[in-house]
Amino acid sequence: TRTSKKIIKFNGCYHGHADSFLVQAGSGVATLGLPDSPGVPEGATASTLVAKYNDLESVEALLKTGGVAAVILEPVVGNSGFIPPVQGFLQGLRELCDKYEALLVFDEVMTGFRIAYGGAQSYFGVTPDVTTMGKVIGGGLPVGAYGGRKDIMEMVAPAGPMYQAGTLSGNPLAMMAGIKTLELLKRPGSYEHLEKITSKLINGLLEAGKAAGHDVCGGSISGMFGFFF
């Protein structure tokens, strides 16, 4: 994996404003790695491949090309609506990544602590190699974090050669807000209450939409929801 250069992402998944991730789907993009945002040079996305979410065959087809370092995805897609994984998809990704020696990365910026205290990996019972998290661990304030297997994290400076730094790293205000948020979420009944009120909200919206004659569908998992019309 250390000498591999390519990454696989999924159509509709957003992973922050990093050049190599600003790629969507489409045959030209998937084949040529064309950037989807003006100002991003083609070279920045040349090693980015795009697969179809919930389609293991599309993932394996790209893995077979060789040289894939990692597969990254939102375990439940939130940035293009609420799209949960079909049965066996996440476990299938875990098995494919093991087979082709690629890292599996869960972007839990939206799912982390929202669908379960242990995130999507806890909810679905699939452990990635690396996890990324965002504002929820700062109580909504600007913060980001990542973690993973010990051998991977030992590559990060000062233990290893990969440089990492940030102006807001360990910001006291964000950390205090995050600690309080996680404390509240850990209280008994928190996720049961979240499930109850979220279900009530999404079901009410779907019923109102259908009553008004709209072709609407949607769903939720704990505190995460979405709908399409």
Side-chain angles (χ1 to χ4, degrees), residues 75-76 106-121 131-137 181-182 185 191 224:
V76 178
F106 277 6
D107 180 337
E108 296 237 40
V109 169
M110 294 191 72
T111 54
F113 295 102
R114 182 172 285 147
I115 68 173
Y117 197 81
Q121 54 200 272
T131 302
T132 66
M133 309 200 82
K135 293 180 286 294
V136 69
I137 61 169
T181 298
L182 302 189
L185 289 173
Y191 284 93
M224 187 173 179

Side-chain angles (χ1 to χ4, degrees), residues 18-210:
D19 287 357
S20 59
F21 294 121
L22 291 177
V23 177
Q24 292 296 319
S27 59
V29 169
T31 304
L32 303 175
L34 299 177
D36 200 48
S37 176
V40 177
E42 292 182 10
T45 57
S47 297
T48 303
L49 307 176
V50 181
K52 296 178 181 178
Y53 186 78
N54 276 334
D55 186 340
L56 290 173
E57 289 185 3
S58 74
V59 180
E60 186 160 23
L62 294 175
L63 286 167
K64 283 180 177 179
T65 64
V68 175
V71 176
I72 184 170
L73 77 157
E74 295 177 83
V76 178
V77 182
N79 279 287
S80 56
F82 176 80
I83 308 173
V86 296
Q87 181 71 31
F89 177 63
L90 297 180
Q91 182 59 42
L93 286 179
R94 177 68 279 173
E95 293 168 2
L96 284 174
C97 286
D98 290 341
K99 178 180 178 181
Y100 290 95
E101 299 184 332
L103 299 179
L104 178 60
V105 183
F106 277 6
D107 180 337
E108 296 237 40
V109 169
M110 294 191 72
T111 54
F113 295 102
R114 182 172 285 147
I115 68 173
Y117 197 81
Q121 54 200 272
S122 169
Y123 186 88
F124 294 106
V126 177
T127 303
D129 300 297
V130 176
T131 302
T132 66
M133 309 200 82
K135 293 180 286 294
V136 69
I137 61 169
L141 294 174
V143 62
Y146 62 93
R149 294 195 330 241
K150 182 178 180 181
D151 61 313
I152 297 172
M153 297 305 291
E154 285 180 342
M155 294 294 293
V156 182
M162 192 193 87
Y163 178 70
Q164 167 65 45
T167 303
L168 292 175
S169 295
N171 179 270
L173 179 60
M175 294 302 96
M176 286 301 297
I179 289 170
K180 189 61 180 180
T181 298
L182 302 189
E183 175 195 315
L184 292 171
L185 289 173
K186 209 166 188 178
R187 292 178 181 176
S190 294
Y191 284 93
E192 290 79 2
H193 177 66
L194 202 53
E195 177 74 40
K196 181 180 178 180
I197 60 175
T198 305
S199 296
K200 183 178 181 180
L201 172 63
I202 186 64
N203 290 334
L205 289 170
L206 294 176
E207 290 171 8
K210 291 174 182 177

Side-chain angles (χ1 to χ4, degrees), residues 208-227:
K210 291 174 182 177
H214 296 292
D215 186 10
V216 58
C217 63
S220 65
I221 300 176
S222 191
M224 187 173 179
F225 71 96
F227 53 93

